[in-house]
Every structure is written in C-alpha cells, then in structure tokens.
Amino acid sequence: MRALRLAAFRAFYRLPFRWRRRLVRMGSVHYIVGAVTIVRDADAESPGRILLLRQPPGPGWSVPGGLLNRGERPIAGAARELAEETGIRLPIDRLRPATPNAVVHTGGRWVDMVFETEVPADAPLDPDEAEVHEAAWHPLDALPRLTGPTARLLAHYGIGPLKAEDD
C-alpha cells in the first residue's frame, strides 16, 4: 500500500501545475461564502426593530446580504450588498462583526459572514426592485414569516422564532 501511495504522489507531482491545481480543486470541499448585515433601528425603544427584506422567490423575509465577489473582503461585501439591496450606503467602519461572525449553514457548504449596524429608521430606503420586493422595519417581538436560513441565522443572535428559550 505504501508503494502505491508513493507512486501516486510521484505521478501527481510530475503533472503540470495547472493540472495538479485542477485535481486538488476537484477533490476539495467547496464553500459558498456570503456576507449579511443585521440592521437595527438606531432610534427604537426596547425590544427594538430590524430591517428585513422580502425577496424572490419565496414569501419569507430575510436580512440584507449576498454572495461575495472573488477576492472581496467580507465587510466590503456586506456594505456593498446593503447598498445594492436597500439603498443604505455606509462606510465599512460603520459595520462591526457580529458574535459569532461566521455562521455555517446547510451541511457545512454555505458560510455567512455576519455584520451588525444601526441606522435611523427614517433613513431613506431605495430597494433594488430586481432583487427586493419590499424593505421594511419590523419589531423584534413581532417578526413576519422569515425564510428558513434567516430564522436559523438570527437564532444565533437571540432573535426570531428559533431563538433559545432562555434568551
């Protein structure tokens, strides 16, 4: 068995770099990486409100976010997606990493980098009509129907129908 393994590695390292890289990528786990932002109403009294989006194709509500571009920093991607989907343009220093900052979904193949910010509810919203049907503020104690991934993500932060009972 050891001789077979040695022969396989020798053959592998004789291949051109481009082919070796392709073989490694074919055998490696692939991840989808996104960035999302939990946007709280800066002026709301307890229990507070968050900004949610109703997006196609489903009827549930979600937080602003999307996939990162190749080589894009997660915080920059979160700021870009927030601007694209809601019209709220914030410099990246207005976003802060949530705790936990990374949430792994669906069998470990999808990772969201999560950020938080506060914005006054009277900030003008200009949702991208191609991506967003509606953007609205919702009280934390009376959230609308959330998408499954959003409900699971928000539960990590003690928000929504799936949050732990002791929160």
Side-chain angles (χ1 to χ4, degrees):
M1 187 61 130
R2 184 175 175 186
L4 181 61
R5 187 170 183 256
L6 182 60
F9 271 100
R10 284 183 177 159
F12 175 77
Y13 284 113
R14 287 188 181 132
L15 293 172
F17 175 75
R18 199 171 45 167
W19 293 8
R20 289 193 321 250
R21 183 174 56 194
R22 185 169 290 158
L23 285 171
V24 168
R25 286 184 177 168
M26 286 175 31
S28 298
V29 176
H30 297 275
Y31 295 94
I32 296 170
V33 181
V36 301
T37 306
I38 299 171
V39 183
R40 296 178 188 265
D41 178 355
D43 301 324
E45 295 180 15
S46 185
R49 300 188 311 171
I50 61 171
L51 181 63
L52 295 173
L53 310 176
R54 196 170 55 81
Q55 299 176 285
W61 291 76
S62 60
V63 292
L67 299 178
L68 295 178
N69 293 327
R70 185 177 295 266
E72 184 175 37
R73 291 178 42 217
I75 196 164
R80 175 183 52 76
E81 286 291 340
L82 181 63
E84 287 176 6
E85 293 182 347
T86 69
I88 297 173
R89 299 187 187 294
L90 296 176
I92 61 173
D93 64 355
R94 289 273 314 274
L95 301 176
R96 66 184 178 285
T99 303
N101 184 228
V103 174
V104 180
H105 300 273
T106 318
R109 297 286 180 122
W110 168 17
V111 178
D112 272 328
M113 301 303 295
V114 184
F115 298 89
E116 294 180 303
T117 193
E118 289 82 25
V119 175
D122 62 359
L125 298 177
D126 184 21
D128 176 358
E129 294 176 4
E131 286 188 66
V132 178
H133 292 308
E134 185 179 1
W137 293 97
H138 295 275
L140 291 172
D141 60 353
L143 293 175
R145 177 179 174 193
L146 301 172
T147 64
T150 298
R152 288 187 295 277
L153 182 132
L154 289 176
H156 289 278
Y157 307 97
I159 301 170
L162 302 180
K163 71 179 182 178
E165 293 301 321
D166 59 339
D167 286 345

